[in-house]
Amino acid sequence: MKKLRLFKIFSNKYVNYSLILILGTFIGWLVFHPSQNKEEKLDQSTEVAQGTIWTCAMHPQIRMEQPGKCPICGMELIPLAKSSTTSGDPSVIHLSKEAAQLANVLTSVVSKQKPVKEVRLYGKVQADERLFQSQVAHVPGRIERLSVNFTGESVIKGQVLAEIYSPELITAQQELLETIKTKQLQPELYEASKEKLRQWKLTDDQIAKIESSGIVQNNFEVVSNTSGTVTARRVNTGDHVSQGTVLFDIADLSKVWIMFDAYESDLQFLHVGEKISFTLQAFPGNDFSGNIIFIDPVIDPVTRVAKVRVETGNQSDKLKPEMFATGIVSTTLNEFRNNLVIPKSAVLWTGKRSVVYVRQPGDEPVFKLREVGLGPMLGESYVITDGLNEGEEIVTSGTFSVDAAAQLEGKPSMMNRDGGKASSISGMEMPGDDKKIGDQSMQSMDDMNDKKYEIFDVSGNCEMCRERIEAASKSVKGVFSASWDINTKKVSVGYRSSVTSLDAIQKAIADSGHDNIKYRAPDDVYKKLPECCLYRK
């Protein structure tokens, strides 16, 4: 019995050892075998990551092979482009679908459209110069009474405006009465005395009344020779006036002119007889129209504009002189009726050449740079003279993002016709390089630090103001961008701090005629601006 018990204990001990060994082997398989799968997955994800270039939306010169944050601004990096394309053309740029979505890259098909050029003009309401009348004193004397006492009063033809006491007129009437007595013997003197009164604008009825009554009139009535509105009163009661002195200026406002300012570059699209639609600040939502009746043949040497005159009726007296007006002339450019028209946002313009990005056939977002010839600008679109074919698909939104990707890939781009590698930040290995870029990347960082962007208030009213403000800003050496917003009255400028300063830019804008947050425009310059640009109240 004792031996049997020892055998059982010994047998149980070996069974337990065996179970422990089997369990340990199983646990080891569970632990070490999945790690191989993990390594395979890690290798696969690494390959995916290595196939994507990560960049910053604000600083496209940043290029990394791993996701992270921009070392300049701290923004999250976004996937930009694949390291290789499926196309055999080395000049195309291939974006990933994710990058195209993040950059909001949109395309549209090129087509022929009716080329309608819209010219926007700014001006003011003015009285018709042909309907001006000056009421003058036909006899010398003293103003005894004024029947019209203030500017803006309405008068009708034949209305008495004033009475003048004239010693010379009294003497002339007395001469007439004396010649009546001898008119049978000296008819020439009689007729001469009557003619003298006619020269002083007395009517035949008034002369006959003097003859029949034999009474000399002391005061002479000045009557209006037109109907209209008094625009100026030039005398007061008791003033002494000479023959021909202007007493009142009267304008007939039943017809008025709208005088628009047109830049010399827009004159080629304006013709006499064309219809123009315009609105007035005083009547928002109301549309008016008229025809161009005259275009000034001379350009103003100071403002560089020509006056364009539109005539319109004003029977309701709604249109008041000096009201601000905004007009639009729509002209069909028949010489470009067979040309293609593309959105303005699709064009990248360098000053020397204009380029667009054409989408290549296929499902993937693959684009290629192409130079195009530009015709006239039609508001928010351009006429294309050459470089594109009808039916091709071009980038119309996110064009700058596509161009930034091309620069990073060393492909032909807006500023680099032949292409070339883009530099990266310090500490990053470029594909195909055996060492890290150092001095070149630091130079790129210094270049970014040299660029400054500022936003400040600038006074102005219209599109002509915008062009003047932006031109004045860009005239300063070192300024590479300028944009003035007509609604917020703010200008955004980009400049190199090593070349110029914000103070110099603000002074240049003031010298062009526009007050800003630091400088006030000289009065003599401001007064020479077109009337629609005068912003001071």
Side-chain angles (χ1 to χ4, degrees):
M1 291 296 291
K2 187 175 181 179
K3 289 182 180 180
L4 182 60
R5 186 178 300 169
L6 291 174
F7 176 77
K8 288 182 178 181
I9 293 174
F10 181 78
S11 298
N12 291 337
K13 183 177 180 181
Y14 276 96
V15 170
N16 292 337
Y17 286 154
S18 299
L19 291 174
I20 292 173
L21 180 61
I22 293 172
L23 182 61
T25 303
F26 179 72
I27 293 174
W29 181 85
L30 290 176
V31 172
F32 293 103
H33 184 73
S35 65
Q36 296 177 358
N37 294 335
K38 199 175 209 179
E39 285 182 13
E40 291 177 1
K41 291 181 180 180
L42 184 60
D43 292 340
Q44 292 174 0
S45 63
T46 301
E47 291 176 1
V48 173
Q50 290 176 349
T52 303
I53 297 175
W54 298 82
T55 187
C56 176
M58 296 298 294
H59 303 92
Q61 78 274 16
I62 301 302
R63 187 173 68 167
M64 291 187 173
E65 295 181 355
Q66 298 293 335
K69 292 187 177 182
C70 174
I72 298 177
C73 64
M75 291 181 59
E76 291 289 339
L77 299 180
I78 60 174
L80 181 62
K82 295 181 180 180
S83 58
S84 61
T85 70
T86 58
S87 173
D89 190 343
S91 63
V92 302
I93 177 66
H94 185 180
L95 296 181
S96 66
K97 292 184 177 180
E98 295 82 1
Q101 291 176 353
L102 287 171
N104 194 29
V105 176
L106 302 176
T107 61
S108 62
V109 177
V110 178
S111 63
K112 293 182 180 180
Q113 301 177 26
K114 185 178 181 181
V116 179
K117 171 72 174 179
E118 287 192 352
V119 180
R120 185 177 294 269
L121 305 173
Y122 299 90
K124 295 171 72 173
V125 179
Q126 291 185 8
D128 189 335
E129 294 177 359
R130 299 168 298 182
L131 302 179
F132 272 119
Q133 291 283 351
S134 294
Q135 306 297 315
V136 301
H138 299 292
V139 295
R142 182 180 69 246
I143 302 295
E144 289 294 306
R145 184 175 69 88
L146 289 177
S147 301
V148 176
N149 296 304
F150 58 89
T151 302
E153 188 172 352
S154 297
V155 298
I156 60 175
K157 186 175 182 179
Q159 179 180 337
V160 177
L161 303 178
E163 290 184 4
I164 299 177
Y165 169 75
S166 175
E168 287 85 349
L169 182 59
I170 294 175
T171 301
Q173 292 179 81
Q174 291 173 343
E175 291 176 356
L176 173 64
L177 294 178
E178 290 296 327
T179 57
I180 291 176
K181 299 175 184 180
T182 61
K183 68 178 181 179
Q184 297 297 333
L185 299 175
Q186 296 177 315
E188 295 84 2
L189 292 178
Y190 171 69
E191 291 298 331
S193 61
K194 289 177 64 176
E195 184 61 28
K196 186 176 183 179
L197 292 175
R198 291 192 188 101
Q199 294 297 323
W200 281 341
K201 298 302 180 180
L202 268 71
T203 64
D204 289 338
D205 290 339
Q206 289 175 314
I207 296 173
K209 185 178 179 181
I210 295 172
E211 289 186 37
S212 61
S213 65
I215 300 174
V216 175
Q217 296 181 7
N218 292 328
N219 295 337
F220 172 72
E221 292 182 344
V222 179
V223 298
S224 176
N225 55 16
T226 186
S227 298
T229 302
V230 176
T231 58
R233 191 193 74 174
R234 302 186 181 276
V235 293
N236 296 309
T237 302
D239 287 351
H240 285 266
V241 295
S242 303
Q243 185 177 5
T245 300
V246 178
L247 308 179
F248 301 95
D249 291 332
I250 297 177
D252 183 359
L253 299 180
S254 60
K255 290 183 180 179
V256 293
W257 289 347
I258 315 295
M259 300 296 291
F260 291 103
D261 294 322
Y263 278 114
E264 50 190 308
S265 58
D266 291 332
L267 291 177
Q268 59 178 317
F269 306 112
L270 303 176
H271 304 91
V272 173
E274 276 189 314
K275 183 178 180 181
I276 179 172
S277 301
F278 62 93
T279 58
L280 300 171
Q281 290 186 6
F283 304 104
N286 291 351
D287 295 326
F288 302 87
S289 63
N291 293 322
I292 298 176
I293 63 171
F294 180 76
I295 299 176
D296 199 330
V298 180
I299 300 292
D300 188 295
V302 178
T303 61
R304 307 305 305 166
V305 298
K307 294 293 184 181
V308 176
R309 185 192 307 164
V310 175
E311 181 181 323
T312 184
N314 187 32
Q315 300 298 330
S316 61
D317 290 332
K318 292 179 63 176
L319 307 184
K320 311 293 184 185
E322 302 303 315
M323 282 183 172
F324 284 112
T326 302
I328 296 179
V329 178
S330 298
T331 303
T332 300
L333 307 181
N334 292 324
E335 62 270 31
F336 297 103
R337 60 182 178 273
N338 294 322
N339 289 68
L340 302 173
V341 177
I342 66 172
K344 185 179 177 181
S345 59
V347 180
L348 297 177
W349 184 67
T350 66
K352 295 183 179 179
R353 62 194 186 107
S354 303
V355 299
V356 299
Y357 278 94
V358 181
R359 180 163 183 167
Q360 303 302 294
D363 296 333
E364 293 295 320
V366 180
F367 308 98
K368 185 175 181 179
L369 185 77
R370 187 182 299 175
E371 292 190 25
V372 295
L374 294 185
M377 183 173 67
L378 311 176
E380 294 301 317
S381 58
Y382 277 112
V383 171
I384 298 299
T385 57
D386 60 81
L388 285 175
N389 298 316
E390 189 173 9
E392 289 187 304
E393 194 172 352
I394 61 172
V395 177
T396 55
S397 176
T399 316
F400 279 102
S401 298
V402 177
D403 190 74
Q407 293 184 42
L408 294 176
E409 287 294 306
K411 306 294 178 63
S413 60
M414 175 178 64
M415 302 303 295
N416 191 349
R417 184 193 298 264
D418 300 321
K421 285 188 177 182
S423 61
S424 61
I425 65 169
S426 178
M428 175 184 144
E429 292 186 3
M430 297 292 292
D433 290 343
D434 296 329
K435 63 179 181 178
K436 298 178 180 180
I437 304 298
D439 296 337
Q440 188 177 4
S441 62
M442 290 304 297
Q443 182 179 358
S444 177
M445 294 284 287
D446 292 340
D447 183 65
M448 289 302 300
N449 294 330
D450 184 40
K451 292 182 178 180
K452 303 292 183 184
Y453 296 88
E454 298 288 349
I455 299 176
F456 55 91
D457 295 329
V458 178
S459 299
N461 288 331
C462 58
E463 288 296 323
M464 287 198 295
C465 295
R466 180 183 65 78
E467 294 181 6
R468 192 180 303 107
I469 293 168
E470 293 178 358
S473 302
K474 294 177 181 178
S475 68
V476 180
K477 185 177 181 180
V479 175
F480 54 82
S481 68
S483 177
W484 183 74
D485 191 291
I486 193 173
N487 297 316
T488 63
K489 312 298 183 186
K490 293 181 182 294
V491 64
S492 173
V493 295
Y495 63 97
R496 296 186 180 276
S497 58
S498 61
V499 180
T500 187
S501 64
L502 180 61
D503 182 84
I505 300 171
Q506 292 171 333
K507 189 174 187 309
I509 293 175
D511 290 341
S512 71
H514 292 272
D515 298 344
N516 55 70
I517 194 172
K518 186 170 184 180
Y519 291 101
R520 176 182 171 88
D523 290 339
D524 58 335
V525 177
Y526 172 78
K527 291 177 181 178
K528 292 179 182 179
L529 296 178
E531 293 183 357
C532 63
C533 298
L534 299 178
Y535 49 83
R536 294 176 185 169
K537 302 299 181 181

